[in-house]
Amino acid sequence: MRKMGSEECASTGGILRQLEQTALLSGRSESVTWLTPSNCLPIWSRRLGRNVEGCQRHCDATRSQNFDVELTGRLWSLWGGLHPRAPWFDGKVRGRQTLGCCVVACCVASTFRHLGEWSGKLLDAIVVNGDRYYRASVEQSQRWDLHLGVDDMCSECEFQDLRYLVQLELVAFGHLGVLKCQERRFSFGHSSSRDGGYFLFDCSAWDDPLFPDDMGASYVLLAKQLQMLLYCVVVTLNVRRRNVEFRLYNVDVARLPGDARKCIEDEP
């Protein structure tokens, strides 16, 4: 695993100091300076054997429930084992289901609000059910040769035995959403539960800079402050020029009546 060099640590340290010195809800924090140099890695990359504080990964000292501690009190990460490119998904849609997975992630977040209790098993279930939702939308639209857009997605979505009515609307505000920029899509939102926090769900990352060669999986980042969420968004998109088009969709979710007895064995 690659370790952070001194230049990279200095760059990241400066960014984190900037975050700490900024008022909690100030939009001024979103800055292109948050992008690390092109030869560096996001601080949550699995190519790094240590977190940003220099602590060894995969040990009790850097774990909090099912999450890895990236920055104490500010940022945690959770990793699944399944990617939409997995060979056992239908080859007609394999690798294109990220929008479906992002919508399902928003549905799950609307039900399982205690984000800190999420598990890798839950992330894998999001990918599996996101694939089913995407394939159902493809069958409805009969657009097998294209990446579906939000207008092509079914209005009903299922996660295990939970059923949801979903509506995606192009807006710039909301509690749960999907962000599309260039070829990247991910979902994010805020939980108003007791432990609270912001989350970012991504299932499109493959290979460098987050994973070893020819590997990928879904993951979710959990942040306590809005600035940290913005930092993660900027680094994930990694857009290095101005005036790049993006689309932000609010995901309006409503539970439908149904049987929830099999919902991941009652485990969020």
Side-chain angles (χ1 to χ4, degrees):
M1 300 285 283
R2 177 184 177 278
K3 293 184 178 181
M4 284 188 178
S6 58
E7 179 179 347
E8 182 172 358
C9 288
S11 173
T12 303
I15 292 167
L16 297 177
R17 284 193 296 273
Q18 178 185 346
L19 293 176
E20 292 173 353
Q21 293 169 1
T22 308
L24 279 180
L25 296 179
S26 172
R28 293 183 295 113
S29 295
E30 187 175 356
S31 170
V32 72
T33 63
W34 288 0
L35 289 178
T36 54
S38 58
N39 62 339
C40 294
L41 303 175
I43 62 176
W44 59 90
S45 172
R46 297 300 92 177
R47 290 178 174 245
L48 297 172
R50 297 177 181 272
N51 67 14
V52 70
E53 297 171 315
C55 298
Q56 187 72 40
R57 297 191 188 278
H58 312 301
C59 64
D60 293 342
T62 55
R63 297 283 293 177
S64 176
Q65 294 181 288
N66 296 313
F67 283 73
D68 290 324
V69 178
E70 302 295 343
L71 185 61
T72 303
R74 297 178 71 88
L75 183 66
W76 300 259
S77 64
L78 174 67
W79 304 82
L82 191 60
H83 192 277
R85 291 191 191 183
W88 58 275
F89 285 130
D90 188 340
K92 294 181 179 178
V93 299
R94 186 183 304 137
R96 293 193 280 135
Q97 319 98 301
T98 54
L99 177 57
C101 297
C102 288
V103 173
V104 171
C106 290
C107 293
V108 171
S110 74
T111 299
F112 301 111
R113 296 180 180 272
H114 295 285
L115 303 176
E117 297 177 359
W118 283 26
S119 68
K121 183 179 179 181
L122 179 67
L123 296 188
D124 291 344
I126 288 174
V127 176
V128 170
N129 287 271
D131 170 76
R132 292 173 182 164
Y133 175 53
Y134 189 84
R135 282 191 288 115
S137 300
V138 169
E139 291 171 358
Q140 173 181 275
S141 65
Q142 292 299 306
R143 300 181 65 187
W144 291 94
D145 58 336
L146 300 172
H147 283 273
L148 297 189
V150 296
D151 294 333
D152 303 309
M153 304 302 289
C154 294
S155 59
E156 291 193 15
C157 171
E158 295 184 0
F159 178 76
Q160 307 297 73
D161 285 349
L162 301 177
R163 297 173 58 239
Y164 299 88
L165 181 67
V166 296
Q167 181 178 2
L168 283 79
E169 180 183 5
L170 182 62
V171 293
F173 59 88
H175 293 286
L176 302 168
V178 172
L179 178 63
K180 177 183 182 297
C181 183
Q182 297 179 320
E183 298 303 316
R184 296 301 298 271
R185 294 182 180 86
F186 56 79
S187 54
F188 65 96
H190 176 261
S191 171
S192 58
S193 67
R194 184 182 66 258
D195 48 0
Y198 300 89
F199 76 91
L200 184 155
F201 170 85
D202 184 11
C203 66
S204 60
W206 183 266
D207 209 319
D208 189 63
L210 290 186
F211 295 98
D213 293 345
D214 298 321
M215 292 183 64
S218 62
Y219 70 93
V220 65
L221 301 175
L222 174 59
K224 287 298 184 180
Q225 291 87 14
L226 177 60
Q227 300 102 310
M228 183 58 70
L229 173 71
L230 292 176
Y231 166 72
C232 296
V233 168
V234 171
V235 172
T236 298
L237 291 177
N238 196 30
V239 175
R240 297 181 176 273
R241 55 191 176 88
R242 299 182 182 277
N243 300 320
V244 173
E245 180 180 345
F246 72 93
R247 292 177 180 271
L248 179 62
Y249 298 92
N250 178 56
V251 182
D252 189 17
V253 178
R255 276 278 298 276
L256 294 172
D259 185 358
R261 288 176 298 177
K262 298 180 182 179
C263 188
I264 319 185
E265 302 173 351
D266 297 325
E267 175 188 337

